[in-house]
Amino acid sequence: MSATNDWQFAVEEYPPHWHFPAGSSWIAGWIYAGENRYITDLRAWVDGRVFLGLPGLPKPGLDEKLLGRAGPPYSGFVLQVKPHCGAKMIRLEARSPDGIWTEFFRTDIRVEESADPYPGPKLLSALLPAILPAFLRLHAQRHEASLAMVANEVISGSLAEPLNSLPVPPFHGALEEPREFGWLRYGRLSVTGWLAHRTVKIVQVTALVDAVQESILLYGLPRDDIGGVFADLPDQARSQFVGHVDLPANQSEPPLLKVFAELSNGEKHLVFAQRFTPRVIAGADVSLPPLSRLTFFRALWHLRSAAKRYRIPLGPWAGTIKGAKIAWAHYRAEAPPAIGHRPVLTAPTSAPHSKKPLSILVATHNLNFEGAPWFIFEYARHMQAQRNVSVSVISSQEGPMRRVFNDAGITVEVINLTSALEAGTMEDFSMALKSATNHLDWGRIDLLVANTMVSFWAIHIADWAGKPSLLYVHESSPIRRFFAPVLAAPIHPMVEDAFRLAHRVVFTADSSRKVYDYLNGKGNFTLLPSWVDIRRIDDFVATNNKSTLRQKHGLDPDAVILVNIGSVCERKGQHIFIRAIELLKEELRHTYPDRKIQFLMVGARPGVYLESLKQELQLHGLEQAKFLPETGEIFDYYRMADIFVCTSFEESFPRVLLESAAFRLPIISTNVNGITEMLAKDEAWIIPPGDRYQLGDAIKQALAAHFAKDTSKAGRARASVERRYHEDSSLPLHYALTLGTLAEKSKH
């Protein structure tokens, strides 16, 4: 046993005297990185060849000794290497969460002369078509890392030979997802397959990609296709497992999934190990940098430099040029265009005088207590307050916001669009949409305003009626990926057409506009600031005592409350919030032994996702965290809170952050989409999405500031929001745009 960088390790299994026979050999041992530290990956170098290992395997007895508990993180590891004839040395390296590979062991070796000869390194020119786009994408994801460091990881990864693992008897089974690719929804990897044991009952199946966070998979579901092959296998009829595993932001490339089976006799076995390439089907994806020849040639230069460091032959220039051309074609096909290549229209600074009555029809995607319906309610209320303006609302879904609109004197009609939204062709969609909306009296409507991209259908009915329209877009996800789960692919072009047909497409975040910039062919995109009702919030604070509100809602008046407000769904990332709470559970208890710290998630709605999160709270004993349902009394929770946390994977310009800043709450938020346009680093704790470790660090910093009575970040956020997004300055711009759109239409 030795120590490197405070690591402890032992290589316990290896060929005698490090004399390798021909073929494959196993190396096994354990490694411990120290308290509150862990290893994310492991590899062996045999001269210039790289073999990826399987780190993080349970080591009964030792894990308890090192950690004071059973883990994870687990300390065991195995590697399978196949040294070539003439190999002289083996080196073992471990990867830390910050992506640094560190050598912790090396020794001279001998290899039987009958072993296969050295296969020779791959030429860089042959690798370029695959690794150059990968380098650009990885650098965009880890922009804080140096280009040289990213190039090292890509080059060394291109050399690596992965080790995957399947069940060995008496286990039988198959891992069906992931295989070569792993499908991600908002940072969660889908895991499916089946597993059975011949002699002992399987009581639990768990999985992890992260070294620390282990997820319980749902096991024992019916499976009727196994019996034909394994008719005598016990429990084969109920051998299915399904579930999700969080994919950490600090993952290695390629990520490693491990699936474990726990048996009724107390044993825990690795049953599957699979390296895979992540593919995002929902949530924020890491795109390539905007198309740039300079960016491309800088990447090429750094990869060539890294190849030299790893002694990869560059190959002839002709081959390098050919490989670079192929890589450039891939980059050009997938990269977003350079920013600012299409104009963005400015809105009128003042509204033209309107003498005749104006009737506005607002179409919204639902009437839930969510940010977008509240946004359009405040827009509609402001429009209705103007002279000679009336507003009515149609929605494709019922919800509690109907009462809010009605109380403001705005009528609401719910239209059943099920047949249209379930159509499989454009023709069927159009026929069903016309049938559902042909009763609308277009003679009395002057303008249609569609709220969210999901209301694209409203732009089409306005176009059919010859009426001008505004489309407010609050999403930041590519159209075809966003609608893939809910809309037939042949209908997707009609969503894109809505951007072209609308007289103005309005964004409150420039980052969202850039996602759809390719649809701005006729220059109808407009960027306008959102708003927050500062005056109403200040009046609420002045007339509502925090302790009284906590008593009203049954909350501890002495607790420090961190609140996460938003519909409980994968996109909002409450699973990452819970993971961070789990990470901090013991540390906060020791750091603040006399303080009560509670975590509220407001916006719960029935569903599988909510139930899975509740199960996690129960499993990990997180009694300090709880869910509360969606509510129209959301100001109560801002007022009762001490710290606000946003864990979203995807947002455009979330009003919850505007409101929490107006309430002078310290803010922790992910840095997705328009959030960084709203808040600066000195105004909030800004973290990447899906990273529970950075979220945990931000929570600790915010709590330390709270107990030190440091309100500097909250104060700066409030001042910035008041200066830039006060409704007295923002809403008149939207009113001016509304009337300006009508004036433009009348000219044509």
Side-chain angles (χ1 to χ4, degrees):
M1 184 175 75
S2 307
T4 300
N5 293 341
D6 298 327
W7 294 353
Q8 301 176 52
F9 68 90
V11 181
E12 299 173 325
E13 297 181 27
Y14 50 89
H17 310 294
W18 292 98
H19 185 176
F20 284 86
S24 299
S25 296
W26 290 95
I27 298 172
W30 60 269
I31 183 168
Y32 173 61
E35 188 175 0
N36 298 322
R37 297 165 63 190
Y38 52 92
I39 300 301
T40 62
D41 213 340
L42 197 80
R43 67 189 182 190
W45 287 87
V46 179
D47 291 353
R49 300 173 67 190
V50 188
F51 299 89
L52 292 172
L54 302 180
L57 305 181
K59 194 77 172 173
L62 182 63
D63 289 334
E64 289 83 351
K65 179 180 177 181
L66 296 171
L67 297 171
R69 54 183 174 80
Y74 303 116
S75 56
F77 70 80
V78 297
L79 298 123
Q80 187 183 58
V81 297
K82 190 178 181 180
H84 52 273
C85 180
K88 300 297 184 183
M89 179 179 290
I90 187 168
R91 299 184 295 114
L92 304 186
E93 292 183 338
R95 183 182 184 274
S96 61
D98 56 7
I100 303 297
W101 286 93
T102 302
E103 180 182 315
F104 66 93
F105 176 85
R106 71 164 57 193
T107 188
D108 294 334
I109 62 173
R110 290 186 301 136
V111 183
E112 286 290 328
E113 293 183 359
S114 59
D116 291 339
Y118 180 45
K122 301 174 183 176
L123 297 179
L124 176 65
S125 55
L127 297 173
L128 281 177
I131 67 172
L132 214 158
F135 170 85
L136 291 169
R137 197 180 301 274
L138 191 61
H139 177 58
Q141 180 181 11
R142 302 178 186 168
H143 52 82
E144 74 286 349
S146 68
L147 288 169
M149 178 179 170
V150 176
N152 286 344
E153 181 155 0
V154 171
I155 288 292
S156 62
S158 71
L159 299 174
E161 300 178 33
L163 171 62
N164 296 323
S165 176
L166 295 173
V168 295
F171 284 103
H172 297 275
L175 181 66
E176 293 162 340
E177 289 186 23
R179 297 301 296 167
E180 180 183 357
F181 298 103
W183 307 107
L184 300 179
R185 285 182 54 84
Y186 303 110
R188 308 178 88 202
L189 172 73
S190 294
V191 181
T192 65
W194 69 272
L195 185 68
H197 193 285
R198 285 209 172 272
T199 59
V200 184
K201 184 175 180 60
I202 298 173
V203 296
Q204 187 167 266
V205 176
T206 62
L208 73 166
V209 175
D210 192 309
V212 178
Q213 299 292 333
E214 192 167 4
S215 298
I216 296 177
L217 305 180
L218 187 59
Y219 176 71
L221 300 177
R223 187 69 185 244
D224 59 9
D225 60 340
I226 310 300
V229 180
F230 297 99
D232 60 339
L233 186 62
D235 295 330
Q236 47 84 12
R238 302 193 68 85
S239 59
Q240 176 85 9
F241 62 81
V242 299
H244 296 89
V245 178
D246 293 344
L247 197 69
N250 59 7
Q251 68 197 11
S252 56
E253 297 287 337
L256 170 65
L257 170 74
K258 291 169 291 189
V259 179
F260 298 98
E262 298 182 21
L263 304 178
S264 58
N265 61 11
E267 296 177 358
K268 185 169 187 173
H269 295 266
L270 175 73
V271 286
F272 299 103
Q274 179 70 43
R275 299 273 179 175
F276 63 92
T277 300
R279 288 287 185 267
V280 175
I281 58 174
D285 196 3
V286 178
S287 64
L288 290 167
L291 190 64
S292 163
R293 292 185 183 274
L294 176 61
T295 299
F296 181 81
F297 284 113
R298 286 182 68 201
L300 179 59
W301 187 86
H302 278 282
L303 287 173
R304 281 177 58 84
S305 299
K308 291 178 182 178
R309 288 192 290 273
Y310 283 95
R311 299 180 182 178
I312 295 177
L314 304 181
W317 265 109
T320 299
I321 293 171
K322 180 180 179 181
K325 284 183 176 179
I326 297 172
W328 170 259
H330 291 169
Y331 176 39
R332 184 174 58 188
E334 296 185 24
I339 296 171
H341 76 293
R342 290 187 175 94
V344 178
L345 294 177
T346 57
T349 56
S350 59
H353 183 63
S354 178
K355 295 181 180 179
K356 65 175 185 177
L358 168 64
S359 176
I360 300 174
L361 177 63
V362 169
T364 188
H365 67 310
N366 69 37
L367 296 168
N368 295 333
F369 286 137
E370 299 173 358
W374 278 111
F375 172 95
I376 208 64
F377 164 73
E378 292 182 354
Y379 168 91
R381 183 180 60 183
H382 181 77
M383 296 301 128
Q384 181 127 313
Q386 309 306 310
R387 188 179 63 179
N388 294 331
V389 178
S390 63
V391 181
S392 58
V393 174
I394 56 175
S395 172
S396 57
Q397 290 184 29
E398 185 62 89
M401 282 292 292
R402 174 195 280 268
R403 179 180 57 80
V404 177
F405 280 102
N406 291 162
D407 290 347
I410 300 171
T411 61
V412 177
E413 179 188 356
V414 175
I415 298 177
N416 185 354
L417 297 180
T418 301
S419 296
L421 299 178
E422 291 181 352
T425 67
M426 289 187 186
E427 293 76 13
D428 290 345
F429 172 84
S430 298
M431 289 179 58
L433 181 59
K434 289 177 180 178
S435 176
T437 60
N438 60 11
H439 65 285
L440 295 175
D441 183 5
W442 289 102
R444 66 171 186 81
I445 298 170
D446 300 296
L447 172 73
L448 180 137
V449 178
N451 183 44
T452 80
M453 182 170 67
V454 182
S455 300
F456 74 96
W457 51 269
I459 301 299
H460 286 279
I461 63 175
D463 181 64
W464 296 335
K467 299 294 181 177
S469 60
L470 295 176
L471 174 60
Y472 276 88
V473 177
H474 304 290
E475 295 83 3
S476 297
S477 178
I479 287 172
R480 293 172 188 265
R481 195 179 76 198
F482 180 90
F483 283 100
V486 295
L487 206 63
I491 314 300
H492 295 174
M494 297 198 73
V495 183
E496 295 175 326
D497 285 345
F499 284 75
R500 303 182 183 102
L501 293 172
H503 289 76
R504 290 287 185 104
V505 182
V506 189
F507 300 90
T508 56
D510 197 41
S511 60
S512 298
R513 176 193 64 81
K514 291 170 185 173
V515 174
Y516 309 102
D517 198 44
Y518 71 99
L519 296 171
N520 191 18
K522 67 177 187 180
N524 61 334
F525 283 17
T526 300
L527 185 65
L528 281 180
S530 188
W531 62 83
V532 61
D533 192 339
I534 296 282
R535 194 162 34 248
R536 180 180 169 219
I537 288 173
D538 288 346
D539 289 344
F540 187 89
V541 171
T543 55
N544 287 272
N545 178 270
K546 178 182 288 191
S547 296
T548 303
L549 287 175
R550 288 190 177 188
Q551 184 178 9
K552 168 186 171 183
H553 291 280
L555 298 176
D556 192 328
D558 300 321
V560 177
I561 294 180
L562 291 84
V563 65
N564 182 308
I565 296 175
S567 302
V568 175
C569 61
E570 289 175 312
R571 180 174 66 85
K572 296 290 187 179
Q574 286 89 357
H575 56 286
I576 302 300
F577 193 41
I578 290 174
R579 293 297 199 187
I581 298 168
E582 181 188 345
L583 282 174
L584 296 176
K585 178 182 176 182
E586 293 302 317
E587 184 175 351
L588 294 182
R589 186 170 64 85
H590 289 293
T591 305
Y592 305 108
D594 300 323
R595 303 282 190 171
K596 301 173 184 176
I597 301 174
Q598 297 180 348
F599 303 86
L600 300 185
M601 287 162 278
V602 184
R605 54 175 60 170
V608 174
Y609 182 64
L610 176 62
E611 293 308 311
S612 68
L613 296 185
K614 287 182 176 180
Q615 182 182 32
E616 287 193 41
L617 293 184
Q618 184 177 6
L619 175 68
H620 298 292
L622 302 180
E623 298 176 355
Q624 64 272 54
K626 64 187 297 187
F627 291 96
L628 297 168
E630 293 177 320
T631 176
E633 297 180 311
I634 204 65
F635 276 17
D636 287 13
Y637 292 93
Y638 291 118
R639 184 71 176 107
M640 291 186 290
D642 297 295
I643 297 170
F644 184 88
V645 183
C646 171
T647 49
S648 291
F649 282 85
E650 192 174 277
E651 292 284 359
S652 179
F653 209 77
R655 67 184 290 117
V656 290
L657 292 184
L658 293 177
E659 291 173 342
S660 56
F663 271 93
R664 293 184 168 86
L665 287 174
I667 296 171
I668 301 167
S669 178
T670 51
N671 60 359
V672 296
N673 309 119
I675 289 175
T676 53
E677 299 173 40
M678 184 189 305
L679 295 169
K681 290 184 178 179
D682 65 343
E683 297 167 355
W685 287 270
I686 305 296
I687 59 171
D691 192 330
R692 72 202 66 135
Y693 303 104
Q694 291 198 49
L695 174 58
D697 287 341
I699 289 174
K700 289 189 290 185
Q701 293 175 40
L703 285 170
H706 171 79
F707 290 125
K709 301 188 184 306
D710 178 0
T711 61
S712 55
K713 282 184 182 285
R716 286 190 288 267
R718 159 71 187 219
S720 175
V721 165
E722 186 170 4
R723 181 178 68 256
R724 296 187 293 159
Y725 306 114
H726 198 296
E727 69 165 1
D728 287 351
S729 56
S730 292
L731 273 173
L733 296 178
H734 291 262
Y735 177 57
L737 175 66
T738 301
L739 295 189
T741 301
L742 281 169
E744 291 171 8
K745 175 65 175 176
S746 65
K747 292 178 183 179
H748 297 83

